[in-house]
Amino acid sequence: MPLTLNQLLFRTFHGKDKMLQPIREELGLGRGQPRVLSYLLSYGTSSQSDIASYLGIDPAAVSRMTEALRKNGFLTRDADEDCRRTNRLELTEKGMDAAKIWTRECQSIDEKLLEGFSSSEKEQLLSLLGKLLGNIERSRLYEES
């Protein structure tokens, strides 16, 4: 019996997560925290709400993750001068190093996962996953309104 889309996505996600777990543990990061570091590496100093919006996760979850990252020396948090209620998050040197290692390891695993794919198959896979994500995001926006 062929796997459903839900089963394929679930097993693919958890398979890749399992491949990345030793790296996450070696870096001293919890689940989800590498995404925050990667975001800050790519976009620079940001607010928690910017990160939550980009990652599509609950702002309270981002708050918990960033507090743990701050306590463990991966980032700093300063109040935004323009808005006292907004915290600006920035990577420390430790956080930048961890984000770079994470990015490099993810790229290495991506290469292993795409082994045997032609260039056109890789492009097609990315395009189809992009469409799928677009449908998910439109659905979420529709549900919130």
Side-chain angles (χ1 to χ4, degrees):
M1 174 194 265
L3 296 174
T4 65
L5 174 63
N6 185 57
Q7 292 167 327
L8 284 168
L9 290 173
F10 181 83
R11 289 176 68 176
T12 302
F13 170 80
H14 286 287
K16 185 169 182 182
D17 188 58
K18 191 172 184 177
M19 294 172 81
L20 288 167
Q21 183 177 346
I23 299 152
R24 193 175 54 245
E25 289 173 356
E26 184 179 316
L27 293 171
L29 298 170
R31 274 198 162 73
Q33 291 177 346
R35 292 184 298 167
V36 173
L37 297 182
S38 296
Y39 176 88
L40 292 169
L41 181 65
S42 295
Y43 295 100
T45 304
S46 301
S47 69
Q48 290 177 339
S49 62
D50 289 342
I51 295 168
S53 177
Y54 181 83
L55 296 178
I57 59 177
D58 183 55
V62 172
S63 179
R64 288 188 299 274
M65 281 190 272
T66 57
E67 183 58 21
L69 287 166
R70 186 192 64 75
K71 285 181 179 178
N72 291 316
F74 291 100
L75 56 83
T76 60
R77 180 183 63 208
D78 294 311
D80 188 328
E81 294 175 12
D82 296 330
C83 178
R84 282 188 246 160
R85 295 182 60 197
T86 301
N87 291 315
R88 304 298 293 171
L89 304 169
E90 187 171 4
L91 291 175
T92 61
E93 188 173 330
K94 179 181 177 180
M96 192 167 296
D97 290 343
K100 288 177 182 177
I101 290 168
W102 181 259
T103 300
R104 185 178 65 241
E105 294 297 328
C106 285
Q107 289 170 344
S108 175
I109 288 173
D110 286 353
E111 289 172 14
K112 290 175 188 169
L113 294 175
L114 294 171
E115 200 170 288
F117 283 64
S118 69
S119 294
S120 63
E121 287 172 328
K122 290 176 190 177
E123 288 177 27
Q124 184 179 24
L125 177 62
L126 293 175
S127 174
L128 292 171
L129 288 172
K131 282 184 176 182
L132 187 65
L133 179 60
N135 288 343
I136 289 168
E137 289 174 345
R138 279 189 297 284
S139 172
R140 187 178 339 130
L141 291 173
Y142 177 77
E143 290 172 9
E144 291 174 1
S145 57

